[in-house]
Amino acid sequence: AWRYHSSFVTRWPISSLVGLPISRSNTCLPSVVWIGSFDISLLSPATSSIEPPVDPAGLAPMIAPARTALVIIDVQEDFVSPNGAPGRWGVDLSVIDKRIGNVERLIAAARANGVTPVYARVITRAETDSDALKALHARKGRPPQALAICRAGTSGADYYRIRPAPGDIEIEKTLYSSFVGTDLDRQLGERGIDTLVIVGFTTDCCMDSTALD
């Protein structure tokens, strides 16, 4: 289990995340840098002493800025803003709001060090709502309008507290992964980027799916 804030940094090749060799034709697998901290309460006593496999002090030679992108996922009004959908549903977002400050500082550090920011966000439309998603909401007793988050052309799809700048990579997605149905892989390849630092919301969903892809 991971939390949104950064207390240490670890790095694995993508193939090690799933424990099986992975190959992609005519391209190299990028590395993924996870930034987060273990929620010790969710670990068993036998694993509660887990330490990051890489000392943060040793990361400098592993993360070459010119070959690295900071992928910022789903920092959007309808996901993390008090004025977005969760806020309207009465969800307390105060904890998440504090974490966004960490994301803002990381973006600034990335820019200062020549790392390419990648802004990934969900843009939905009624025609892109999958049958599986509709069935999931129905099983949970949610009304049809609960699907209407991050809709194209609405403020809910806007970024929250962050904005792309000229030269950044920006992609729109309809699924969890930032790679599926987008040209992110091509854009990274054209810039010679083979290392990703992934931040955003949420670690167990869109960040995880992006890392695995």
Side-chain angles (χ1 to χ4, degrees):
W2 296 82
R3 291 305 186 198
Y4 305 119
H5 61 289
S6 59
S7 63
F8 59 73
V9 183
T10 59
R11 177 181 185 268
W12 301 270
I14 284 181
S15 56
S16 70
L17 292 175
V18 294
L20 295 171
I22 299 177
S23 63
R24 292 165 65 187
S25 61
N26 302 320
T27 187
C28 295
L29 281 169
S31 300
V32 174
V33 180
W34 283 94
I35 295 187
S37 66
F38 284 114
D39 181 353
I40 298 300
S41 66
L42 298 182
L43 298 176
S44 68
T47 59
S48 62
S49 61
I50 289 176
E51 295 292 337
V54 178
D55 188 320
L59 284 172
M62 299 169 60
I63 306 177
R67 297 188 293 105
T68 300
L70 173 66
V71 184
I72 309 128
I73 297 178
D74 294 352
V75 184
Q76 294 173 254
E77 289 281 342
D78 263 353
F79 286 141
V80 295
S81 167
N83 298 319
R88 295 194 300 270
W89 299 337
V91 177
D92 181 5
L93 297 173
S94 58
V95 172
I96 290 179
D97 202 56
K98 295 176 182 177
R99 304 302 177 237
I100 297 174
N102 292 345
V103 175
E104 291 173 317
R105 288 188 289 275
L106 188 56
I107 293 172
R111 294 192 190 284
N113 287 278
V115 171
T116 299
V118 175
Y119 289 78
R121 60 174 173 163
V122 172
I123 302 292
T124 70
R125 297 171 176 83
E127 58 269 25
T128 64
D129 293 338
S130 68
D131 290 339
L133 185 60
K134 293 175 184 177
L136 175 63
H137 278 257
R139 286 198 299 271
K140 292 187 174 183
R142 296 171 180 167
Q145 57 267 32
L147 285 165
I149 61 173
C150 300
R151 286 298 201 216
T154 71
S155 60
D158 292 343
Y159 297 106
Y160 177 60
R161 289 175 48 179
I162 62 170
R163 290 291 183 275
D168 295 346
I169 295 174
E170 185 177 9
I171 62 114
E172 297 180 0
K173 60 191 180 77
T174 59
L175 300 174
Y176 295 155
S177 173
S178 299
F179 286 100
V180 176
T182 76
D183 66 347
L184 178 56
D185 187 62
R186 177 188 63 78
Q187 293 199 58
L188 294 174
E190 288 177 350
R191 300 191 187 204
I193 292 171
D194 61 9
T195 303
L196 305 180
V197 180
I198 298 177
V199 296
F201 303 92
T202 59
T203 310
D204 60 341
C205 188
C206 295
M207 291 174 65
D208 179 69
S209 296
T210 298
L212 291 177
D213 283 345

